Amino acid sequence: MLRRVLILLILVFSNSSFAQGTFKRTLKLMGSRFDITVVAHSQIEADQYIDLAIAEISRIEHLISSWDSNSETSKINANAGKQAVVVDKELFGLIKRSIGISKLTQGAFDISYASMDKIWKFDGSMKTMPDASEIKASVEKVGFENIVLNENNSSVFLKLPGMKIGFGAIGKGYAADAAKALLMKKGVIAGIINASGDMNTWGKQTNGSPWNIAITNPLNKEKVFAMLPVDNQAIVTSGNYEKFVKFNNVRYTHIIDPRTGYPSTGLISVSVMAPKAELADALATSIFVMGKDVGLNFINQLKGVECIIIDESGTVYYSDLIKPKP
């Protein structure tokens, strides 16, 4: 009898030691809201993992920040038109991949967008549309072709004086990828890194079900039109429904085409699903610039990437492989 009780006690403690829960922390990082969720055995263990993720995201923020004068990104910008700057291989790799996405999107995505003159204002103060010559001049220093990389010494050179690079359209996605990779390496079996709409998931919920990500229509945030089960995948949603100006009945939104200087039109939300948040982040921005038809055709040619687009009338469009069945 005693032996049976001992065996039962061992089983109870054994099961409790393997019981896991879901723990979440919300905070501000990289100037944005981050929600970090992990599956762990206890709050103490979860806090340790979340602290690791925060430290990793903060490290990346310092690496890519254009506001920190001591960052390597700022040093690249400060030496534009003067000399090449040797940088960490991690930053070099991010810039190289960014240029690759620029080539893939024919310039719809471009980290040298930071060189644009800020002639558009989306705070309600803008009463007239900028002159066409002013718009053209605003992008004279933009162009990924003017970013020169040297693989031999990991150096970066911006050809044009006054040229700048920035990672606003890819940085949070990269940070989410890095935090996820670190936590997986540390043994965290499941979680979600949500960087203000840049969602990166791995593993499953404690009940064995996949994580479900809700996609809402920004014109009616109470209505969920898609609930997507995701497994080790990223979903990035970019919205263009709050920051805009309207001239001649055309709604110009805050994502600007780096090739022309004109803001994007016609779309209010783009959600992209991809293996990496870095890629999904960049492509979501690109689709705004490309527009619905070109954007859908582009995504349909990419393996492992899907998208959901909402235009300014509230109509929802899907890429081929996730299109709902009639």
Side-chain angles (χ1 to χ4, degrees):
M1 182 67 179
L2 180 60
R3 183 182 176 190
R4 184 180 176 188
V5 171
L6 287 172
I7 291 172
L8 286 173
L9 285 171
I10 290 169
L11 286 173
V12 168
F13 284 120
S14 178
N15 287 336
S16 65
S17 68
F18 286 99
Q20 293 183 313
T22 302
F23 302 88
K24 176 181 173 181
R25 193 188 306 174
T26 299
L27 67 162
K28 190 172 184 179
L29 294 165
M30 303 179 75
S32 302
R33 170 176 167 154
F34 272 69
D35 298 292
I36 303 173
T37 302
V38 298
V39 171
H41 292 99
S42 67
Q43 183 70 61
I44 293 174
E45 183 182 58
D47 285 342
Q48 291 172 342
Y49 288 138
I50 293 172
D51 287 344
L52 287 174
I54 292 170
E56 179 69 352
I57 293 165
S58 298
R59 181 188 68 81
I60 288 166
E61 180 178 19
H62 174 72
L63 182 72
I64 68 174
S65 173
S66 56
W67 301 104
D68 181 351
S69 60
N70 293 316
S71 74
E72 291 187 341
T73 301
S74 292
K75 290 174 183 176
I76 292 170
N77 292 341
N79 284 281
K82 301 174 185 175
Q83 62 184 4
V85 176
V86 176
V87 299
D88 186 274
K89 288 187 177 181
E90 181 180 9
L91 180 60
F92 185 89
L94 179 60
I95 295 171
K96 183 178 179 181
R97 294 193 301 276
S98 297
I99 292 173
I101 297 172
S102 294
K103 292 176 180 177
L104 187 67
T105 61
Q106 298 182 334
F109 172 83
D110 193 332
I111 58 172
S112 70
Y113 79 93
S115 311
M116 277 192 284
D117 295 331
K118 307 297 189 292
I119 61 172
W120 296 90
K121 296 179 177 62
F122 302 95
D123 57 2
S125 64
M126 202 170 180
K127 303 304 178 185
T128 58
M129 191 167 173
D131 184 76
S133 60
E134 190 181 9
I135 295 171
K136 183 179 179 181
S138 72
V139 293
E140 284 181 351
K141 296 174 183 176
V142 178
F144 67 91
E145 303 92 343
N146 294 312
I147 305 173
V148 180
L149 303 183
N150 187 327
E151 295 271 4
N152 295 327
N153 64 355
S154 294
S155 69
V156 183
F157 176 56
L158 307 182
K159 286 184 181 180
L160 307 178
M163 189 177 176
K164 297 177 183 177
I165 59 172
F167 300 97
I170 198 172
K172 291 198 303 295
Y174 175 62
D177 287 337
K180 169 186 168 180
L182 176 62
L183 293 184
M184 290 180 72
K185 184 179 179 180
K186 295 296 182 180
V188 181
I189 63 169
I192 303 175
I193 309 292
N194 179 3
S196 293
D198 292 17
M199 309 278 289
N200 208 338
T201 71
W202 73 101
K204 297 183 183 299
Q205 299 183 63
T206 53
N207 63 5
S209 301
W211 299 106
N212 287 296
I213 306 299
I215 307 294
T216 60
N217 190 325
L219 298 179
N220 182 3
K221 294 184 180 180
E222 302 300 317
K223 183 179 179 182
V224 175
F225 65 84
M227 184 69 76
L228 302 175
V230 291
D231 184 9
N232 198 27
Q233 195 177 28
I235 298 182
V236 170
T237 298
S238 292
N240 232 355
Y241 43 89
E242 292 175 339
K243 295 180 180 179
F244 66 91
V245 290
K246 205 166 186 177
F247 298 116
N248 301 320
N249 292 320
V250 178
R251 190 173 179 274
Y252 295 96
T253 51
H254 77 282
I255 295 177
I256 298 175
D257 188 336
R259 301 166 297 188
T260 66
Y262 282 86
S264 57
T265 60
L267 305 183
I268 60 170
S269 178
V270 174
S271 297
V272 174
M273 286 130 278
K276 297 277 189 181
E278 173 189 308
L279 177 62
D281 203 357
L283 293 182
T285 302
S286 302
I287 291 171
F288 269 110
V289 172
M290 293 175 175
K292 172 181 68 70
D293 294 333
V294 175
L296 281 173
N297 181 58
F298 171 70
I299 293 296
N300 285 331
Q301 297 178 57
L302 299 180
K303 185 177 180 180
V305 180
E306 301 299 331
C307 76
I308 300 172
I309 298 173
I310 306 173
D311 69 13
E312 58 188 11
S313 69
T315 305
V316 183
Y317 302 89
Y318 301 84
S319 57
D320 288 347
L321 293 183
I322 60 169
K323 189 177 294 181
K325 295 180 181 178

